[in-house]
Amino acid sequence: MKYLEMNHVKKSFDGLDVLKDISLSVEEGEVVSIIGPSGSGKTTLLRCATLLETMDCGDLAYLGESAAAIVDGRSVYQKPAQLAKIREKFGLVFQNFNLFPHFTVMKNITDAPIHVQKRPKDEVYREARGLLEKMGLADKESAYPCQLSGGQCQRVAIARALALNPRVLFFDEPTSALDPELTGEVLKVIRSLAQMHITMVIVTHEMAFARDISDRVIFMDGGVVALEGTPSEVFESDNPRMREFLGHYARV
Amino acid sequence: MSFSVMLTQLSAGMVKTVGIFALTLIFSLPLGFLICFGRMAKKGVAGKAAGIFFRAYISVMRGTPLMLQLMVVYFGPFFLFGMSIGSNWRFPAIIIGFSLNYAAYFAEIYRSGIESMPIGQYEAAKLLGYSKPQTFFKIILPQVIKRILPAVTNEVITLVKDTSLAYALAYAEMFTIAKQIVASKSDFMPFIIAAVFYYIFNLIVAMVMEYIEKRLNYYH
């Protein structure tokens, strides 16, 4: 089943075309990485998919439920109540975490399940403890975000997103704000989610990681999908833009 | 006049000073939020109209003297509507004048706090499914309060001293009494006592605010 489907997505900011007719679909259990140079529209695509940005044109659906459709060449979105229901189907992990600084780790994770989804408290707390265990943060439940390292914060943010049981989990450059040591611990967690067959869309600059965990890799360049395929197809492609892009990594 | 009599009379005035202070805060702190929201409204014709109205309101309240505003509130009903104003109107007029004025300042402090919040907090709340009221009251407001506390402290301390402006409407708060005693007894002492009273009052205010700031220091 297609968990996410978006077609003919166009988006411009002040006359600058950031996305030029992009389509993306993600199957159940699939791990898709989006790579590409800065300014290629990766993050904008993610923000359109997560309803943080409205598309100029394009349709968007989760598990067959439409969030936006193209009418006369423009995107028309569903009513807010419908969009709220669709928002439950996905989660997003931000580059800079966006944890709530005045909440403890535990409250960051449990507050939305309890007060938005109205689930029973004990069940939510039990699940949250399980998630923290999985994230290697079992001893941090009463800590505040300011007492944690960046890597720990990002793992809390992942647990917070998972606590709502999303069908698709998006990552927007989850390790770009972290040093190499902390990057490793976050990637390890994402890798374990991939092994659990959680459907994920990951915008990343970690090439080895993308190659390793993805079922499919999308290389974006200049607002279009320049290349798409299995990791080996993409990373071993002769596409000159891809070779040039990877060349920058080889030189570092 | 003996020192103890002076002290007793000024203390009685101090009760009224504290009354103005407390009632002004009770009304102006929430009123400031309404003005702040009106000032920040942008959506639709009503929102734009509210934005212009409250911007003008803040501009006038900050741009004219509080003493003059007190006069307008007190004498306005007579000069504008021909209503008779008795001494019963004096205290309400003072509270209304102070509250309307301070609410304008608080509104701008609230706005500075709300606009300083990173957009990521709103986006995270949206992604987690929080409604707009939930986002504001659970996520944004607690952080805004922490951010604006030092600016609010400044304003509250100014209010303590501004209560002396009530003498313009001949309301017998502490400073009015002090001036009367100085004038009638040719004794400078009441001014010194008044200074000490204001200073101690503000010392307490500063200590209370510092305590609240410390209580909110568990995160940053």
Side-chain angles (χ1 to χ4, degrees):
Chain A
M1 183 184 194
K2 280 203 169 79
Y3 266 29
L4 164 68
E5 188 168 16
M6 44 199 321
N7 292 304
H8 306 298
V9 177
K10 291 176 193 161
K11 177 74 185 173
S12 62
F13 293 103
D14 301 322
L16 179 73
D17 294 327
V18 179
L19 299 178
K20 304 167 187 164
D21 197 354
I22 287 214
S23 296
L24 168 69
S25 78
V26 179
E27 294 284 334
E28 176 178 358
E30 214 182 1
V31 178
V32 177
S33 290
I34 304 176
I35 59 170
S38 296
S40 59
K42 307 181 297 291
T43 291
T44 304
L45 181 64
L46 212 65
R47 289 176 61 84
C48 285
T50 52
L51 300 170
L52 286 177
E53 214 70 76
T54 52
M55 308 175 286
D56 297 334
C57 171
D59 58 47
L60 169 64
Y62 283 91
L63 294 94
E65 273 184 62
S66 169
I70 304 175
V71 178
D72 297 331
R74 297 199 65 80
S75 284
V76 176
Y77 280 83
Q78 296 278 359
K79 294 203 169 66
Q82 186 66 25
L83 291 180
K85 266 169 83 187
I86 287 172
R87 263 193 204 97
E88 291 175 17
K89 305 212 183 300
F90 59 80
L92 169 62
V93 175
F94 296 86
Q95 181 177 343
N96 49 2
F97 333 133
N98 289 333
L99 291 176
F100 303 131
H102 57 309
F103 286 178
T104 61
V105 165
M106 197 57 164
K107 194 162 162 75
N108 262 288
I109 298 171
T110 56
D111 196 70
I114 292 171
H115 293 106
V116 175
Q117 294 186 329
K118 314 275 183 208
R119 283 164 51 198
K121 267 187 187 170
D122 353 336
E123 179 195 309
V124 171
Y125 275 99
R126 195 164 0 98
E127 278 188 29
R129 293 212 169 87
L131 282 168
L132 281 174
E133 190 111 8
K134 224 179 278 170
M135 299 294 149
L137 296 169
D139 55 334
K140 298 288 183 198
E141 64 174 72
S142 50
Y144 286 90
C146 62
Q147 298 166 319
L148 303 180
S149 73
Q152 290 171 328
C153 281
Q154 192 58 297
R155 284 181 281 154
V156 173
I158 293 170
R160 180 175 73 170
L162 285 172
L164 291 163
N165 295 314
R167 309 297 279 269
V168 186
L169 189 52
F170 292 91
F171 292 84
D172 183 13
E173 304 192 18
T175 59
S176 294
L178 305 174
D179 69 37
E181 200 178 347
L182 301 179
T183 296
E185 62 189 44
V186 170
L187 294 185
K188 205 171 107 193
V189 164
I190 300 175
R191 199 183 298 262
S192 73
L193 301 181
Q195 278 154 8
M196 290 158 57
H197 301 290
I198 291 176
T199 311
M200 294 190 284
V201 179
I202 307 165
V203 169
T204 183
H205 288 296
E206 298 288 331
M207 291 306 134
F209 172 73
R211 182 172 188 153
D212 204 28
I213 69 151
S214 310
D215 298 308
R216 193 147 51 91
V217 176
I218 291 170
F219 173 58
M220 278 181 71
D221 187 31
V224 296
V225 173
L227 208 57
E228 182 174 358
T230 63
S232 52
E233 280 168 7
V234 170
F235 284 100
E236 283 150 31
S237 150
D238 300 328
N239 180 306
R241 264 310 274 139
M242 184 67 193
R243 302 276 23 120
E244 189 195 338
F245 177 65
L246 286 180
H248 293 301
Y249 281 88
R251 249 179 268 133
V252 179
Chain B
M1 187 184 274
S2 74
F3 184 76
S4 65
V5 174
M6 257 181 222
L7 215 53
T8 315
Q9 289 190 0
L10 289 177
S11 298
M14 197 62 196
V15 172
K16 294 187 169 178
T17 295
V18 173
I20 298 172
F21 171 83
L23 286 172
T24 299
L25 283 186
I26 287 168
F27 292 117
S28 63
L29 285 170
L31 188 60
F33 267 109
L34 294 182
I35 296 167
C36 170
F37 291 139
R39 162 81 173 79
M40 297 204 312
K42 288 182 197 81
K43 273 188 193 158
V45 181
K48 286 201 177 76
I52 293 167
F53 174 80
F54 284 107
R55 201 182 284 239
Y57 175 87
I58 291 167
S59 178
V60 170
M61 281 300 168
R62 294 200 303 187
T64 57
L66 174 53
M67 193 193 287
L68 190 144
Q69 292 166 17
L70 290 173
M71 301 270 192
V72 169
V73 175
Y74 184 61
F75 294 113
F78 173 72
F79 285 110
L80 294 174
F81 309 111
M83 292 157 70
S84 63
I85 45 175
S87 58
N88 282 345
W89 175 235
R90 183 170 292 146
F91 186 65
I94 288 167
I95 299 302
I96 291 170
F98 271 97
S99 299
L100 290 177
N101 178 279
Y102 270 80
Y105 286 93
F106 285 134
E108 286 295 272
I109 292 174
Y110 298 158
R111 186 170 68 89
S112 75
I114 291 170
E115 289 183 349
S116 77
M117 287 296 295
I119 185 98
Q121 292 288 304
Y122 290 96
E123 290 185 345
K126 197 174 180 184
L127 254 301
L128 295 170
Y130 288 102
S131 67
K132 279 187 176 163
Q134 277 179 325
T135 302
F136 183 75
F137 287 107
K138 285 184 96 105
I139 312 295
I140 303 300
L141 186 60
Q143 298 184 59
V144 165
I145 288 172
K146 181 181 163 80
R147 282 168 189 234
I148 63 174
L149 222 47
V152 169
T153 303
N154 256 341
E155 216 48 54
V156 173
I157 284 176
T158 304
L159 173 61
V160 169
K161 295 174 286 182
D162 272 359
T163 54
S164 60
L165 287 172
Y167 91 89
L169 301 188
Y171 182 70
E173 47 71 53
M174 193 260 288
F175 191 61
T176 310
I177 294 172
K179 276 181 36 160
Q180 282 166 356
I181 301 174
V182 169
S184 61
K185 308 285 180 218
S186 308
D187 188 346
F188 192 64
M189 190 47 114
F191 279 164
I192 294 168
I193 299 172
V196 171
F197 274 11
Y198 281 126
Y199 184 76
I200 291 172
F201 193 175
N202 268 329
L203 213 56
I204 295 166
V205 167
M207 274 164 58
V208 169
M209 296 305 275
E210 202 172 312
Y211 172 77
I212 300 172
E213 269 183 55
K214 267 201 188 121
R215 284 292 301 270
L216 291 177
N217 241 347
Y218 64 89
Y219 74 90
H220 45 254

